[in-house]
Amino acid sequence: MKKNIIKNLIVLIFIIVLFTIPTKAADIRFDLTYGVDNQAKAGKKLPIELIIENREKSPFLGYIEVYMYDKEYSLAQYEYELEMMADSIVYKNISLSIGSNINNLLIQILNDKKELITEEQLNIDVQSLDTDIIIGILSDTPWKLDYFDKVNISNNSIKTKVINLDKRKLQRNLSIFDSLDILLISDYDCSNLAGELERNIFNFIHGGGIVILGTGSDGMEAIPNIFETYLTSPVNTYTKKVNFAINSSLLVPYGDEIELNLTNYDFDGNTIIEEIDGVQLLRNKSIGAGILSNATFSFGDIANYVDSHPEIINDFLSKIIGQTRLYSYQLSAGTRSNNDLETISELINIVESSLLPNMSMVMIICGIYLFINLIAIIIFYTHKYRRHYYIMTMIFTSFIFVIIIIIFFSNSRKQNNFVTFVKTIELTDTSAEEKIMFNIRTPEEGEYKYTTDIGTDINVLIGNINKNISKEDINNTSINKTVISNTNEKNNVIIHSKEPFFSSFMSATKKSVNEQNYNIESSIDIYNNVPSGYIKNNMNYDITDLSLVFFNGIIKIGDLKAGESINIDNFTFIDMPIMNNYQMSEALGDYPNNKIIKHYLDTHITGFYSNAKIMGFIQDNDISTLIDNDLEDIEGITFLSKDANVSRESKNYYESLSLAKEARKINGNYNIVDNTISGDTPVENEYYFNSNRTIEKLFIDNIEMPKDALDYTVPFDGKIYFYNRNTLNYDLIGTNEIKKEQLNDYLSPANSIRVRFEQYSKDMFYRPIYLPTFRVLEKKDEA
């Protein structure tokens, strides 16, 4: 017995000692980089690369957690699973949506028991990045392309920064695309890009990026496979001398001739933006919100030439990017606004959300009810013989109160979780990219869970809260929190709501899918501003507010039922002020659709283009492809958009628009963004047409403002002069139609004209005045 007591005592002491010995924490350490050289790029998501080292001789299972404020008194938390082999290093890449004043994140690594191993407070440098355009270069000879670094564009208001990329770095960190404005691929075998990397390049363009391809003697090897479907003719290579001296778009002629290896290829819907001596050097194609720019030469081949003529790369970049997009970069650089949550939340909540019970009004009614009953009680105690008045008052007020409460809460969302959303679907012939911005609200306190497919990129929409994250904030159970956790199969969204009707704003994107079989077929011709062709709705949804949108006008079509085809021959092309997105959206739809249209035009149409956009709305509230649809109440708007190729030819003639290429300002206050002038001095511009065709006739198309146009939108009504290249003077033009023989004195060898504008109305000098546009008929090349 005594031995057993001693034995048990020894075991007890051993257990106590064992549990009182401090356990060794896992030896996990990490470094991180973010953005570009540890600076956040304004207007972009924030990519973060974690380099995590496990120094233990055993595997490690745990979590990475990232915390930030999404709005006042509300936390956003991202959680990622972490699995590491013994004595190993893991690269983990995450990409987050942040607000312009979010300057602090907290990143923690926890073990599988959610115990803290290590953490780091990340102070984000959003303000000091003086570079406005980030160019990622993918090349086997990147040193030849160093001349793209520190290029001053747009009168030195924008500066470039180059990042040299390689396939391994991109495969390891695909989120680097979130930092880039331009991806330049030149002197590179693009067959190395097959698979996920190639798809990410395509998605980069869809999301608003610019991809520039340099080809030269490489031919098809310089074109990623994913773009081959856009090719309209066989690819072949040749050599030609190009005389840059005749490029009149430059203020100082180069005066040099250079022999270039060229690849002759064309993508459908291309707009020629640089043509020298009959050689088409640069073309732009619109894809989604971005640009695919193809150069027939290799950028490495002109390296030595650019060293002695640095202005040429400024000129090329300005033409590829376009002045309107450059203007948006300038605005982004000036405001440093990564995400305007107020604008986004307003956009989401333009859908029907009036069914929320008005709690403040209910409280007022309850107060009135209690006040009336208080009076009744006073009457009862002071005038007992008038008890029947008290009873009648109580019955009457209670009856009225019940009726009012029923009215206020009937058909309200007082019981169900609900979502309001705006979904946009960018269509191609083979794919549909779905994006939604949504707001999940919960009627009462609690924890609510939703899931998204692992192929869906989901983010909390972050406001502009400049506040550090502390451990007290993380452990505070009284604040609202939205948690997004990533597993190998699902993204789990957990909303910890600490107040009724807490709003959690999020975005979700599913890239390059077409599970709903969205498709719009079209064949569109525009000649002499008269449309012809058809549009066919090959979907199971009816389309409402269907329209064709050009940079200088619209065609309103209306509704198109599922499976229906409509001929557009009898529709009218309506002139619109260029880039006046407010005017366009008001003309195309009523509230709330016009708000969606304007937002889309503001974010997707950032330059002149030769094609059209097919736009419309469908009644599709199915968001299950983006978030698990266990929600009982869903209200939203689904917006469709698709690029449409436009033919501008008839019989032996082509029609060409001058502003399909951007004009060059010579003198005066001219705004290329919306083709307006201002001030009291004449404006001189130069406009360009295709240089390898014979121009037969030129038309001057004046903008006719809609009757409901705002007072400050003024059409040009002054004098127009053309620069005479023989007399070196400006000649007054008194007609809107100029024939071939009259144009000989005005056209340059590159088919450009210089135009001078003098406005009549002196009281309009400080209002924007919309200039006319120029259109020409070009004779087809004879076989």
Side-chain angles (χ1 to χ4, degrees), residues 616-628:
F617 296 85
I618 60 175
Q619 295 301 313
D620 177 17
N621 280 12
D622 182 11
I623 56 176
S624 59
T625 57
L626 296 168
I627 60 174
D628 188 13

Side-chain angles (χ1 to χ4, degrees), residues 382-449:
T382 56
H383 302 82
K384 291 186 178 181
Y385 60 89
R386 295 183 178 178
R387 180 177 295 180
H388 59 283
Y389 289 115
Y390 164 73
I391 296 173
M392 290 175 58
T393 301
M394 289 292 292
I395 293 174
F396 178 76
T397 55
S398 298
F399 175 77
I400 295 298
F401 173 76
V402 170
I403 294 298
I404 292 175
I405 294 299
I406 290 174
I407 292 173
F408 269 89
F409 279 89
S410 63
N411 197 30
S412 73
R413 293 169 171 143
K414 64 182 184 298
Q415 295 179 349
N416 303 329
N417 300 339
F418 66 94
V419 166
T420 53
F421 74 90
V422 170
K423 177 163 67 170
T424 60
I425 304 174
E426 279 285 343
L427 296 173
T428 69
D429 290 334
T430 58
S431 65
E433 181 176 287
E434 298 177 76
K435 298 180 181 179
I436 61 170
M437 294 179 296
F438 59 99
N439 177 14
I440 296 182
R441 299 195 189 188
T442 54
E444 54 190 29
E445 297 180 24
E447 182 177 281
Y448 301 89
K449 297 182 179 180

